[in-house]
Amino acid sequence: MSTKTELSRRKFLITTAAAAVSGAASAASAFTIVPRHVLGRGFTPPSDTLNIAGVGVGGIGRANLVALATQNIVALCDVDWDYAGKAFEHLDVDIQTLKTRLDNPDPQPVPGMPLVEFDRVKAQKRLDGMIRLKTEHWPRAKHYQDYREMLERQKDIDAVVVATADHMHAPIALAAMDLNKHVYVQKPLTWSVDESRRLARRAKELKIATQMGNQGHSLNDARTTVEYIRAGAIGEVREAHIWTNRPLGFWPQGVPRPEPLKQPLDTLKWNGPGVTARIANSFAGSYPVPDTVAWDLFLGVGPRVDYHPIYHPFNWRGWVDWGVGAIGDMGAHLIDHSMWALDLGFPTSVETVSTPFNGASYPLATQTFYEFPARGKMPPVTMTWYDGGLLPRKPEELGEEELNKGGGALIMGSKGKLLHDTYGAKPRLLPKSLHESYGKPPQKLPRIPGEDHEMNWVDAAKGNAEASCPFEYAARLTEVMLLGVVALRAGKKINYDGANMRITNVPQANDFLRREYRQGWNSPSGKSG
């Protein structure tokens, strides 16, 4: 493709997305979607497909690309091509497993066990995406380890999916945005509050299509959850309780940094510090960086830390250097719906209590208390977050039923309660009699076609839709989540001035709202301020 043609294509895509984002009149954008027959056989109009690059493709990034396989996946970037390569190689097994499931009837329900729902339409779509990613995109896309090299060298990229460790979300997204590329960033949007604000500000300036990867925001159930609350089904809401079982066994937390003993073993007591020192020593050892891992690129803007397999892959989520713990992982799937339905802004105070926290690895369990001010006629709201297996008190209306220990939310109203699972799934009113008498709430929110979060972003990039969870909203949600981490690190209740992004009662805690990037890495652009 010539430079002139590519520039025209890029201008086309940015212009159409900007029209959608700004809510331009339909007449102003009617010309943008050009029927294929007008352009002639063999010519694909720019509105048909996006050229997409994936950065961080070994985990959830692979799933995002499966969902985007109808587009052109032109570049793949990962700091560990052994890990990422195995994920793509495993597509063969995943394809066969899903084929077998689709070719056979649904299994009979097991007495006493919850029914496992299987959506055959979505499963077939996922299968088609896996096949296309494996057979078409994987062999054809260019591979990189350094996203900066990818963005510099490959000029045909229209849009970028960022699914790396949390600490690199903002630097990569801002680098792509500065080149006017649409961006989809996995949750949590950023590692720090300051980065969230920068991304939101930059997205507003550029009017590109942005989306955070909290796919529950696009589910019909999630929208029904919001509609119940907004319709007044449970009355005036002043209290919400939200929980997850993470980290569970998914990644380690509450562990010491690997470190050799500082004193002879036989002098250590079997008390808390002595046991902790023994654990740290058991992790210590010489672990050379695998040839396939670009460790300095993984560290990126974070501090210099020697490689250890307890950090990578995936375990980074439990370490303060690179992740934001359970609330960062699952808050976007659980806090989302209460914030959305109740139009919560920034909290005025946040306090986090936890099991022991060593400052390096997040605690095994935390409980965070948020206080949100009144909004118009809506009263103040207290929101409590629980992780690590902690649960709120079970409401009496549940009777013999137990709370879903995996995760959920209980929203307390003056007329009743609303309970939903992770992602806003399965909303139901309590007591049961209220649920049965109320029926479904009026449908006020638009539904996302196919509940497809990734393709909704593609449609927004093409100017055909509004993004489900753009950075304008995602940044605020992420900031609320991250303030729980800030309060944990501060070690005391913080009072927050959201308008000025400032902690007013613990001045030193303001340092936790941002981070100084490692030498050799530029600060995020985002038009500093």
Side-chain angles (χ1 to χ4, degrees):
M1 182 181 294
S2 70
T3 301
K4 183 176 180 181
T5 303
E6 179 55 29
L7 288 173
S8 298
R9 183 176 187 278
R10 293 285 310 135
K11 183 178 179 181
F12 176 92
L13 287 164
I14 295 297
T15 301
T16 55
V21 171
S22 62
S26 58
S29 58
F31 71 92
T32 61
I33 307 304
V34 184
R36 186 184 299 272
H37 71 271
V38 172
L39 297 163
R41 182 182 298 273
F43 187 90
T44 302
S47 56
D48 273 10
T49 56
L50 288 184
N51 288 344
I52 295 175
V55 185
V57 297
I60 190 64
R62 193 197 78 164
N64 295 142
L65 295 175
V66 166
L68 293 165
T70 57
Q71 305 304 296
N72 295 325
I73 312 298
V74 298
L76 301 170
C77 182
D78 204 285
V79 298
D80 183 354
W81 273 111
D82 180 60
Y83 179 73
K86 287 175 180 175
F88 279 85
E89 290 170 7
H90 203 266
L91 275 171
D92 291 330
V93 174
D94 295 339
I95 288 168
Q96 189 55 53
T97 300
L98 191 51
K99 275 184 177 178
T100 301
R101 179 69 178 84
L102 282 165
D103 289 343
N104 287 282
D106 293 338
Q108 293 298 312
V110 178
M113 297 294 290
L115 181 66
V116 178
E117 297 179 5
F118 182 68
D119 189 320
R120 289 182 170 272
V121 173
K122 288 185 177 179
Q124 183 62 55
K125 186 176 181 181
R126 188 165 68 253
L127 177 62
D128 294 342
M130 287 194 292
I131 292 172
R132 191 163 182 178
L133 182 62
K134 175 68 176 184
T135 60
E136 295 181 29
H137 301 308
W138 169 248
R140 185 182 60 193
K142 295 179 181 177
H143 293 191
Y144 300 88
Q145 276 195 315
D146 190 332
Y147 74 91
R148 297 167 299 182
E149 179 187 2
M150 181 191 76
L151 292 175
E152 181 180 349
R153 294 180 57 183
Q154 197 153 342
K155 305 301 183 184
D156 62 339
I157 296 170
D158 300 317
V160 178
V161 176
V162 182
T164 62
D166 300 343
H167 71 299
M168 290 303 295
H169 286 182
I172 298 170
L174 284 166
M177 294 164 76
D178 283 346
L179 295 173
N180 280 314
K181 301 185 189 303
H182 309 289
V183 285
Y184 180 108
V185 179
Q186 263 305 327
K187 52 77 195 173
L189 186 63
T190 62
W191 183 91
S192 76
V193 168
D194 177 65
E195 289 173 329
S196 284
R197 295 220 173 183
R198 288 173 182 269
L199 259 66
R201 186 162 57 246
R202 196 71 176 120
K204 184 177 181 180
E205 291 169 354
L206 295 172
K207 294 183 171 59
I208 56 176
T210 62
Q211 187 96 296
M212 182 169 74
N214 57 333
Q215 64 271 27
H217 203 85
S218 290
L219 297 183
N220 294 341
D221 270 7
R223 288 160 188 258
T224 300
T225 292
V226 174
E227 288 162 346
Y228 268 128
I229 296 170
R230 288 185 176 177
I234 60 173
E236 192 176 71
V237 175
R238 292 178 177 269
E239 187 178 346
H241 298 268
I242 304 168
W243 68 95
T244 180
N245 61 3
R246 307 295 174 94
L248 199 61
F250 293 100
W251 66 86
Q253 286 188 192
V255 295
R257 179 97 64 190
E259 182 180 60
L261 289 175
K262 295 180 179 178
Q263 64 185 86
L265 181 62
D266 58 6
T267 66
L268 287 176
K269 296 181 179 180
W270 286 96
N271 56 9
V275 170
T276 298
R278 286 177 168 88
I279 293 172
N281 181 63
S282 72
F283 297 156
S286 177
Y287 293 94
V289 180
D291 293 339
T292 57
V293 177
W295 184 240
D296 192 66
L297 292 177
F298 169 82
L299 294 176
V301 300
R304 179 69 206 177
V305 177
D306 289 340
Y307 170 81
H308 194 289
I310 201 171
Y311 303 140
H312 171 81
F314 190 66
N315 287 343
W316 50 261
R317 191 176 294 283
W319 296 92
V320 173
D321 289 335
W322 312 294
V324 284
I327 195 169
D329 180 49
M330 297 304 294
H333 296 316
L334 285 156
I335 295 174
D336 179 15
H337 313 92
S338 294
M339 283 196 61
W340 187 5
L342 298 170
D343 193 26
L344 299 177
F346 298 121
T348 52
S349 73
V350 188
E351 182 178 13
T352 298
V353 296
S354 74
T355 55
F357 176 44
N358 60 22
S361 173
Y362 290 106
L364 289 173
T366 67
Q367 194 170 351
T368 299
F369 307 92
Y370 294 92
E371 295 180 348
F372 292 91
R375 291 95 49 230
K377 295 182 179 180
M378 292 186 286
V381 172
T382 60
M383 183 173 74
T384 306
W385 166 268
Y386 313 74
D387 62 38
L390 299 179
L391 293 168
R393 184 176 181 179
K394 188 180 85 169
E396 293 180 359
E397 295 91 335
L398 271 184
E400 295 301 313
E401 183 185 350
E402 296 295 327
L403 291 172
N404 183 338
K405 291 181 173 59
L410 178 64
I411 302 165
M412 321 280 277
S414 57
K415 298 179 181 178
K417 301 177 177 71
L418 184 144
L419 184 67
H420 70 71
D421 292 348
T422 306
Y423 310 111
K426 299 179 181 177
R428 57 266 196 208
L429 304 179
L430 299 176
K432 187 177 181 181
S433 58
L434 175 62
H435 187 82
E436 292 173 346
S437 63
Y438 191 86
K440 286 284 188 182
Q443 184 173 315
K444 299 290 187 179
L445 296 172
R447 270 33 181 184
I448 304 301
E451 300 179 301
D452 195 327
H453 200 57
E454 290 91 346
M455 285 304 297
N456 165 256
W457 169 64
V458 168
D459 289 339
K462 296 176 183 179
N464 298 336
E466 292 185 4
S468 171
C469 191
F471 288 178
E472 177 185 7
Y473 172 80
R476 178 159 52 95
L477 170 58
T478 300
E479 181 165 337
V480 169
M481 292 152 50
L482 295 180
L483 286 171
V485 176
V486 171
L488 169 71
R489 298 178 71 189
K492 58 180 66 177
K493 182 176 180 178
I494 58 173
N495 296 329
Y496 193 57
D497 174 3
N500 295 299
M501 202 185 86
R502 188 169 62 93
I503 296 165
T504 58
N505 65 321
V506 189
Q508 63 271 27
N510 284 290
D511 292 342
F512 301 136
L513 299 176
R514 52 180 57 82
R515 87 183 311 170
E516 194 71 30
Y517 282 9
R518 186 162 61 103
Q519 187 173 1
W521 291 81
N522 296 328
S523 357
S525 59
K527 303 300 183 186
S528 63

